[in-house]
Amino acid sequence: MQKLAPSEAADPVPTHCPYCALQCGMKLAVGDGRVEVVEREDFPVNRGALCGKGRTAPALLDRSARLTEPLVRDPGTGQLTPASWDTALGIIAERLAATRAEHGPDACGVFGGGGLTNEKAYALGKFARIVLGTSQIDYNGRFCMSSAAAAGRKAFGVDRGLPFPLEDIPRTGCVILVGSNLAETMPPALRYFTELKENGGTLIVIDPRRTKTAEQADLHLAPRPGTDLALALGLLHLVVTQGRTDEEFIRERTTGWDRARPAVMAHWPELVERITGVPVPQLRRAVEMFCAPENAMVLTARGPEQQAKGTDTVGAWINLCLATGRAGRPLSGYGCLTGQGNGQGGREHGQKADQLPGYRDLTDPAARAHVAEVWGVDPDSLPGPGRSAYELLDALGGDIKSLLLMASNPVVSAPRAAHVEERLRSLDFLAVADVVLSETAALADVVLPVTQWAEETGTLTNLEGRVLLRRRAVSAPSGVRSDLHVMSELAALLGVEKGFPTDPEEVFEELRRASAGGAADYAGITYRRLVEEDGVFWPCPQDGGTAEAGAVSGGGTGTSGTSSSTGTTTRAVAGQHPGTPRLFLDRFATPDGRARFAEVTHRPAAEETDAEFPVVLTTGRVLAQYQSGAQTRRVPELNAAAPGPFVQLHPRLAERIGVGEGDRVAVVSRRGRAVAPARISTAIRADTVFMPFHWAGEGRANTLTNAALDPTSRMPEFKVCAVRLEPVRDEETDATGQPDAAGGLNSPRA
């Protein structure tokens, strides 16, 4: 429960959690100067369940936890000091205009976030391209599921995190969960896997650590980090040699198996055991469990995706589904567990470097023409694709002189973070719009305080492709404005007086038109529908039309409101498209309707261990913290549960380097050094250490991580790098892990 200024709200307001991509339903009861979370059992995704982050989310609304006035860096003292909105916006517009005039539009960079609503992500992409005229825009969602997105587009013709609703999981026969610890990252989703087992299904978890999720598995495979691709190929090798392929499905609904098969056959079980460390009997058991039931699924997360070969790795897991006929039919398929709150919608509508609204390709002349018409500009005036997220950050202070950043904290979240921090400091000008004074905002020349989840209305798209309406429940503090207001005012100051409304529903109406006919078609979705329904799955064309991606659904355009034969009904009316809970039941979204096998083969990680760096580091999240920790580290209850970073290592490794439980240990890579207490456990491989990445300061895990990029998705290799471990002397400085560990109001840029 959190004290707030009195609100006009009377009845609890249905809304959604501000954190992960489940976007759990909740209600906010506001009255007597307080706001508290009320369970919302009618929302199908979480059915009332909430994790600790969701239950404590109202703490983020406290004035003491957030920014409430603009800040401008004083040129004399170098400190951030309060300023008026007119002053702050005027400085930003003046500096961006000067950069553009002196160095050209691409000297202005824009960096967004996966927590922005669809409306704000759409407006940010439009702002970059028609106000600044820059191609240099990307967002932190590139660090989330970009490899799965790239692999999904290659295989299926379109990417949606889950091509089926979560409710299908308990009704399948077997799930292979690759690189996900959802018991800590998405706790309300664990019930679907518990129900799977209660229904007689089986769960296989693949993770180098025995996590809380792995403890629920019928079979846990613990490969060396970075070897998931070889593991997938090895399992498919056994499928082929045991005669378990679905030849009819391969023949009728796929293409490319003849080119993919040779690499599969080159990964025989004993070779795969040597590469991965997973014993052959466990490989055989996994194949038996996956192939025995009629239906099965493979779900991937950041483990296999955050690698320099992440696209190929996901492609190999998709191959396993295709070769066994476990795709394009009810209760079977491949899916990705998207992490960020609006990681799915955030990239669909234009803040990604290579995409336009509706999941359109920025290089496609027809796509450019369609969006340009909606925006009222010449298609030729739209810039082409820009740099990916890390490449954009790496170019700061070089080609890119000024940066507008919204809802992201790359000082903590980016790979090779010390280098990224140095690049941010080297900018001529940095403006940040955020709810809190994050470590990145503390480096800015201008900081703008903006509204957050319960203070604004807007849509988000969860990991199922379910478009949701998150409704305003409370008033923002005086002095706080929305990101839409920021873009509208800046556009006007930069000479574009129309086209940037501040009303989110007005923005969404334009987004509908811009997405119409695209792969992610929202044209048939309205705020009114989202109020009346439990979300609407895209694609949802206007008036029962057909999306550009082709007939990818099993739903059609009938009026019964049932989008397939297996559950999930919608309340569509005659002539209104019901939305598409299940993709690919009739055909895939490729030109010929067939899925594509990926031609992939195993290759080593970008950085392997050696005598100097003999241990593998992998990173991830913990239950009580979220992403860069900019929000959760300001919630006392969550901070008490997870107060700081740690290094998880096996007892044999701890003994070898001479550290005990709680001793401070330094983890050193080719990029830097991080220090945190040792947490000794047999739940991790003896050749691997784990660090959570939520903290700044000396315990910052991303100081160590490798910025090697996947050639297709441009995903950095967060999950694998070579390190060595060193005991830390008692006299060395303690790790802090505090919210403003990288600085605060008194943290000058230079």
Side-chain angles (χ1 to χ4, degrees):
M1 186 179 297
Q2 181 61 48
K3 288 186 177 181
L4 281 183
S7 169
E8 66 277 6
D11 297 328
V13 178
T15 189
H16 296 273
C17 177
Y19 291 111
C20 81
L22 287 179
Q23 282 301 292
C24 291
M26 60 167 66
K27 294 181 181 179
L28 291 182
V30 182
D32 298 324
R34 295 177 179 271
V35 59
E36 61 180 329
V37 171
V38 179
E39 288 187 357
R40 184 180 168 190
E41 296 183 356
D42 62 330
F43 186 63
V45 172
N46 60 308
R47 291 175 273 171
L50 292 169
C51 71
K53 293 188 288 289
R55 291 195 309 271
T56 61
L60 300 173
L61 304 172
D62 193 301
R63 290 180 63 95
S64 65
R66 45 98 58 85
L67 294 165
T68 57
E69 57 186 346
L71 303 172
V72 172
R73 194 167 299 280
D74 186 297
T77 66
Q79 310 306 316
L80 288 170
T81 58
S84 70
W85 269 93
D86 286 347
T87 296
L89 290 169
I91 292 172
I92 296 173
E94 179 183 353
R95 297 296 296 273
L96 291 175
T99 297
R100 188 174 56 182
E102 183 175 356
H103 302 286
D106 276 355
C108 296
V110 176
F111 199 86
L116 294 176
T117 63
N118 289 320
E119 292 81 358
K120 291 190 286 189
Y122 170 82
L124 189 61
K126 181 180 179 182
F127 178 89
R129 293 181 174 102
I130 72 170
V131 177
L132 296 178
T134 183
S135 67
Q136 300 304 303
I137 175 173
D138 211 75
Y139 82 128
N140 64 14
R142 177 78 67 170
F143 300 156
C144 181
M145 61 170 291
S146 59
S147 293
R153 294 184 74 177
K154 283 185 174 184
F156 306 129
V158 69
D159 148 56
R160 197 177 82 185
L162 295 181
F164 43 75
L166 285 162
E167 68 181 46
D168 285 2
I169 291 173
R171 296 185 289 177
T172 194
C174 177
V175 173
I176 299 180
L177 186 61
V178 190
S180 171
N181 182 17
L182 54 82
E184 297 199 62
T185 59
M186 295 180 173
L190 190 62
R191 69 193 309 167
Y192 291 100
F193 299 88
T194 301
E195 292 171 7
L196 166 74
K197 297 177 66 176
E198 291 172 351
N199 292 340
T202 55
L203 174 63
I204 301 169
V205 171
I206 298 172
D207 198 301
R209 300 191 299 143
R210 188 163 181 80
T211 63
K212 292 181 180 179
T213 305
E215 290 174 355
Q216 308 300 314
D218 298 284
L219 176 63
H220 171 216
L221 307 182
R224 294 186 183 96
T227 64
D228 311 85
L229 176 52
L231 181 60
L233 290 167
L235 295 179
L236 186 48
H237 177 102
L238 288 170
V239 166
V240 174
T241 58
Q242 293 175 12
R244 295 177 180 270
T245 55
D246 187 331
E247 295 298 325
E248 181 180 359
F249 181 89
I250 292 172
R251 183 174 59 254
E252 295 184 357
R253 298 202 60 189
T254 74
T255 186
W257 175 233
D258 57 332
R259 295 185 297 276
R261 193 176 186 276
V264 172
M265 301 316 297
H267 289 76
W268 60 93
E270 292 76 15
L271 173 63
V272 171
E273 178 178 333
R274 290 199 297 273
I275 294 171
T276 66
V278 177
V280 171
Q282 290 189 6
L283 299 175
R284 295 187 184 279
R285 186 181 174 204
V287 169
E288 175 62 32
M289 290 170 62
F290 184 70
C291 292
E294 180 180 357
N295 300 302
M297 298 175 179
V298 173
L299 304 177
T300 66
R302 305 303 80 74
E305 297 165 17
Q306 288 182 325
Q307 299 183 28
K309 54 179 181 293
T311 302
D312 285 357
T313 300
V314 174
W317 289 107
I318 292 174
N319 284 356
L320 179 64
C321 293
L322 296 177
T324 54
R326 307 306 177 88
R329 69 186 194 194
L331 306 182
S332 286
Y334 163 78
C336 166
L337 297 171
T338 309
Q340 291 192 81
N342 199 31
Q344 180 71 52
R347 70 180 178 280
E348 292 170 1
H349 298 300
Q351 66 171 332
K352 191 164 173 278
D354 55 353
Q355 287 178 191
L356 288 169
Y359 226 136
R360 288 182 160 90
D361 188 336
L362 186 53
T363 63
D364 178 6
R368 293 169 65 88
H370 174 86
V371 174
E373 182 178 5
V374 174
W375 289 352
V377 299
D378 186 336
D380 292 338
S381 71
L382 297 178
R387 294 177 173 95
S388 71
Y390 178 77
E391 292 166 304
L392 189 158
L393 295 171
D394 188 43
L396 300 180
D399 294 342
I400 300 175
K401 308 296 184 181
S402 296
L403 180 69
L404 174 63
L405 184 146
M406 288 185 167
S408 186
N409 189 18
V411 165
V412 178
S413 63
R416 199 183 171 197
H419 171 73
V420 168
E421 180 177 347
E422 185 273 329
R423 299 320 305 156
L424 285 159
R425 291 179 183 275
S426 74
L427 282 164
D428 292 349
F429 179 73
L430 172 63
V432 173
D434 209 333
V435 175
V436 299
L437 188 70
S438 69
E439 287 78 12
T440 303
L443 302 179
D445 296 287
V446 179
V447 182
L448 301 177
V450 290
T451 52
Q452 57 176 311
W453 65 295
E455 300 162 352
E456 60 186 12
T457 294
T459 62
L460 300 98
T461 307
N462 81 345
L463 77 172
E464 306 166 295
R466 187 192 301 253
V467 184
L468 306 164
L469 184 66
R470 197 164 68 188
R471 279 171 270 189
R472 176 181 174 274
V474 300
S475 300
S478 175
V480 173
R481 301 181 183 179
S482 75
D483 299 272
L484 293 178
H485 177 97
V486 169
M487 287 180 273
S488 179
E489 290 293 312
L490 287 177
L493 289 170
L494 290 166
V496 181
E497 297 184 357
K498 295 183 179 180
F500 289 89
T502 59
D503 176 22
E505 186 170 7
E506 188 175 347
V507 178
F508 188 78
E509 287 300 303
E510 182 178 302
L511 181 157
R512 292 176 61 207
R513 291 187 286 117
S515 73
D521 191 335
Y522 284 31
I525 305 173
T526 64
Y527 269 32
R528 180 173 180 177
R529 282 192 69 177
L530 296 178
V531 169
E532 296 173 347
E533 303 179 30
D534 293 325
V536 179
F537 293 83
W538 70 259
C540 183
Q542 179 75 47
D543 299 327
T546 301
E548 206 172 76
V552 296
S553 77
T557 58
T559 60
S560 68
T562 302
S563 44
S564 85
S565 61
T566 52
T568 298
T569 58
T570 61
R571 292 181 286 277
V573 298
Q576 177 177 274
H577 194 286
T580 313
R582 296 170 181 84
L583 300 175
F584 314 139
L585 299 186
D586 302 321
R587 54 178 280 128
F588 295 98
T590 56
D592 61 4
R594 293 172 173 264
R596 308 309 198 226
F597 277 95
E599 298 178 54
V600 296
T601 189
H602 173 71
R603 60 184 184 274
E607 181 177 80
E608 295 194 278
T609 56
D610 56 21
E612 185 180 3
F613 300 99
V615 179
V616 176
L617 169 71
T618 192
T619 64
R621 287 161 48 186
V622 297
L623 177 61
Q625 300 289 353
Y626 179 71
Q627 303 299 73
S628 76
Q631 295 165 293
T632 49
R633 285 185 277 124
R634 288 167 167 79
V635 179
E637 182 178 330
L638 300 178
N639 234 18
F646 60 86
V647 181
Q648 184 186 40
L649 68 163
H650 193 276
R652 291 202 298 272
L653 179 56
E655 182 179 8
R656 189 160 72 243
I657 66 171
V659 300
E661 179 71 19
D663 290 350
R664 283 160 42 77
V665 59
V667 185
V668 184
S669 78
R670 291 177 173 87
R671 289 153 295 281
R673 182 175 187 263
V675 178
R679 186 172 295 180
I680 301 173
S681 172
T682 57
I684 190 168
R685 294 177 56 95
D687 57 3
T688 301
V689 295
F690 168 83
M691 289 188 72
F693 56 71
H694 310 290
W695 289 272
E698 69 172 359
R700 181 174 60 185
N702 277 319
T703 296
L704 309 167
T705 49
N706 193 354
L709 301 180
D710 180 289
T712 302
S713 68
R714 316 309 288 169
M715 167 72 82
E717 190 148 77
F718 287 101
K719 284 294 184 280
V720 192
C721 74
V723 299
R724 67 172 181 267
L725 275 63
E726 302 170 347
V728 175
R729 298 187 306 274
D730 291 340
E731 61 268 24
E732 293 193 31
T733 306
D734 289 339
T736 63
Q738 294 305 306
D740 295 322
L745 290 177
N746 297 318
S747 176
R749 285 250 316 280

